[in-house]
Short mmCIF file of all heavy atoms in Angstrom, two decimals:
data_model
loop_
_atom_site.label_atom_id
_atom_site.label_comp_id
_atom_site.label_asym_id
_atom_site.label_seq_id
_atom_site.Cartn_x
_atom_site.Cartn_y
_atom_site.Cartn_z
N ALA A 367 -3.67 23.21 -7.47
CA ALA A 367 -3.41 24.61 -7.14
C ALA A 367 -4.52 25.51 -7.66
O ALA A 367 -4.88 26.51 -7.02
CB ALA A 367 -2.06 25.04 -7.72
N ASN A 368 -5.08 25.16 -8.83
CA ASN A 368 -6.12 26.00 -9.44
C ASN A 368 -7.51 25.40 -9.37
O ASN A 368 -8.48 25.99 -9.85
CB ASN A 368 -5.77 26.27 -10.91
CG ASN A 368 -4.45 27.01 -11.05
OD1 ASN A 368 -4.13 27.89 -10.24
ND2 ASN A 368 -3.66 26.64 -12.06
N SER A 369 -7.63 24.21 -8.81
CA SER A 369 -8.93 23.56 -8.67
C SER A 369 -8.90 22.64 -7.47
O SER A 369 -7.84 22.16 -7.06
CB SER A 369 -9.29 22.76 -9.94
OG SER A 369 -8.36 21.72 -10.15
N GLY A 370 -10.07 22.38 -6.92
CA GLY A 370 -10.14 21.53 -5.75
C GLY A 370 -9.94 20.06 -6.09
O GLY A 370 -10.02 19.65 -7.25
N PRO A 371 -9.66 19.23 -5.07
CA PRO A 371 -9.48 17.79 -5.32
C PRO A 371 -10.80 17.13 -5.71
O PRO A 371 -11.87 17.61 -5.37
CB PRO A 371 -8.96 17.28 -3.97
CG PRO A 371 -9.45 18.26 -2.96
CD PRO A 371 -9.47 19.59 -3.66
N PHE A 372 -10.70 16.04 -6.43
CA PHE A 372 -11.88 15.27 -6.83
C PHE A 372 -11.51 13.80 -6.77
O PHE A 372 -10.37 13.45 -6.41
CB PHE A 372 -12.34 15.69 -8.23
CG PHE A 372 -11.31 15.50 -9.31
CD1 PHE A 372 -11.40 14.48 -10.24
CD2 PHE A 372 -10.22 16.37 -9.40
CE1 PHE A 372 -10.44 14.32 -11.22
CE2 PHE A 372 -9.26 16.21 -10.39
CZ PHE A 372 -9.36 15.17 -11.30
N PHE A 373 -12.45 12.92 -7.09
CA PHE A 373 -12.20 11.49 -6.95
C PHE A 373 -10.98 11.05 -7.75
O PHE A 373 -10.15 10.27 -7.26
CB PHE A 373 -13.42 10.69 -7.40
CG PHE A 373 -13.18 9.21 -7.43
CD1 PHE A 373 -13.25 8.46 -6.27
CD2 PHE A 373 -12.87 8.56 -8.62
CE1 PHE A 373 -13.01 7.09 -6.29
CE2 PHE A 373 -12.62 7.20 -8.65
CZ PHE A 373 -12.71 6.46 -7.47
N GLY A 374 -10.85 11.52 -8.98
CA GLY A 374 -9.72 11.13 -9.82
C GLY A 374 -8.39 11.52 -9.21
O GLY A 374 -7.39 10.82 -9.39
N TYR A 375 -8.36 12.64 -8.47
CA TYR A 375 -7.13 13.07 -7.81
C TYR A 375 -6.69 12.04 -6.79
O TYR A 375 -5.50 11.65 -6.75
CB TYR A 375 -7.38 14.43 -7.14
CG TYR A 375 -6.33 14.83 -6.13
CD1 TYR A 375 -5.15 15.43 -6.53
CD2 TYR A 375 -6.54 14.63 -4.77
CE1 TYR A 375 -4.18 15.80 -5.59
CE2 TYR A 375 -5.59 15.01 -3.83
CZ TYR A 375 -4.41 15.59 -4.24
OH TYR A 375 -3.46 15.96 -3.31
N TYR A 376 -7.61 11.57 -5.95
CA TYR A 376 -7.26 10.58 -4.93
C TYR A 376 -6.93 9.23 -5.56
O TYR A 376 -5.99 8.55 -5.13
CB TYR A 376 -8.41 10.44 -3.93
CG TYR A 376 -8.72 11.70 -3.16
CD1 TYR A 376 -9.86 12.45 -3.44
CD2 TYR A 376 -7.85 12.16 -2.17
CE1 TYR A 376 -10.14 13.61 -2.74
CE2 TYR A 376 -8.12 13.33 -1.46
CZ TYR A 376 -9.27 14.05 -1.76
OH TYR A 376 -9.54 15.22 -1.08
N PHE A 377 -7.69 8.83 -6.56
CA PHE A 377 -7.46 7.54 -7.20
C PHE A 377 -6.10 7.50 -7.90
O PHE A 377 -5.34 6.54 -7.75
CB PHE A 377 -8.60 7.27 -8.20
CG PHE A 377 -8.50 5.94 -8.89
CD1 PHE A 377 -8.75 4.77 -8.19
CD2 PHE A 377 -8.14 5.87 -10.23
CE1 PHE A 377 -8.65 3.55 -8.82
CE2 PHE A 377 -8.06 4.64 -10.87
CZ PHE A 377 -8.31 3.48 -10.16
N PHE A 378 -5.79 8.54 -8.64
CA PHE A 378 -4.53 8.60 -9.39
C PHE A 378 -3.34 8.60 -8.44
O PHE A 378 -2.35 7.88 -8.66
CB PHE A 378 -4.53 9.84 -10.27
CG PHE A 378 -3.41 9.89 -11.26
CD1 PHE A 378 -3.33 8.99 -12.31
CD2 PHE A 378 -2.40 10.85 -11.14
CE1 PHE A 378 -2.29 9.03 -13.23
CE2 PHE A 378 -1.36 10.90 -12.05
CZ PHE A 378 -1.31 9.99 -13.10
#
Side-chain angles (χ1 to χ4, degrees):
N368 299 322
S369 63
F372 59 106
F373 174 81
Y375 165 82
Y376 297 107
F377 182 71
F378 190 67

